[in-house]
Amino acid sequence: MKAKHQRLVLAVLALAAIGGASGLALSALKDQAAFFYAPGDVAKQGLPLGRDVRLGGMVTAGSIHKRADGVTIDFRVTDGKATVPVNFKGITPDLFKEKSGVVAEGRFNPDGSFTATNLLAKHDERYMPPQMAGVKPSGASLKQ
């Protein structure tokens, strides 16, 4: 076989291997394509039981309750369409508060509640660290 034909066969095999690997990766990730489930999605599609998922939405006002052990909290997450009760044991992020965005990682329980293993607090694009909240940016003026 000529060198030209060998290169062509290798190029076709490489493309087929890349296509096969891409197909396998996409089929493995099809259920995890969404960054998180919203409470309305869960109400509409049913509970994704038996696997780790992310639940995202807003923390309902007045729903954060700390238990006596000091590290376990219960709260509710809503997207305006549905509400899901969440239980979390651990240290909450500094930005976690009522009426703020949250993404909780964990599992759904058969009763419809969610047990979180990790909390990610969301903020808007105007976020300013608490240490910098009262500080104005200093700009050097160029006078000639």
Side-chain angles (χ1 to χ4, degrees):
M1 191 177 335
K2 293 182 180 180
K4 184 177 185 179
H5 293 303
Q6 286 179 342
R7 285 192 303 262
L8 181 63
V9 168
L10 286 175
V12 169
L13 287 175
L15 287 175
I18 291 171
S22 299
L24 287 173
L26 289 175
S27 69
L29 294 174
K30 68 180 177 185
D31 292 335
Q32 296 296 326
F35 291 111
F36 57 81
Y37 289 93
D41 297 337
V42 173
K44 193 184 311 181
Q45 299 170 3
L47 297 173
L49 295 173
R51 61 188 170 103
D52 290 334
V53 295
R54 290 180 176 175
L55 173 70
M58 300 295 286
V59 178
T60 306
S63 70
I64 298 176
H65 300 287
K66 293 186 179 184
R67 293 194 188 168
D69 65 4
V71 293
T72 304
I73 62 168
D74 297 308
F75 60 97
R76 294 184 170 276
V77 174
T78 187
D79 64 351
K81 299 175 187 173
T83 302
V84 174
V86 179
N87 172 283
F88 174 70
K89 184 174 186 174
I91 299 172
T92 60
D94 290 338
L95 296 174
F96 179 79
K97 59 184 177 185
E98 295 174 350
K99 297 183 184 179
S100 68
V102 67
V103 176
E105 298 174 336
R107 291 180 176 239
F108 278 98
N109 302 314
D111 65 355
S113 65
F114 188 82
T115 301
T117 56
N118 190 22
L119 291 181
L120 305 169
K122 295 172 63 178
H123 58 80
D124 63 8
E125 66 278 357
R126 297 181 310 266
Y127 171 72
M128 180 72 66
Q131 299 86 355
M132 299 294 293
V135 179
K136 291 185 180 181
S138 63
S141 61
L142 298 175
K143 294 183 180 180
Q144 293 180 355

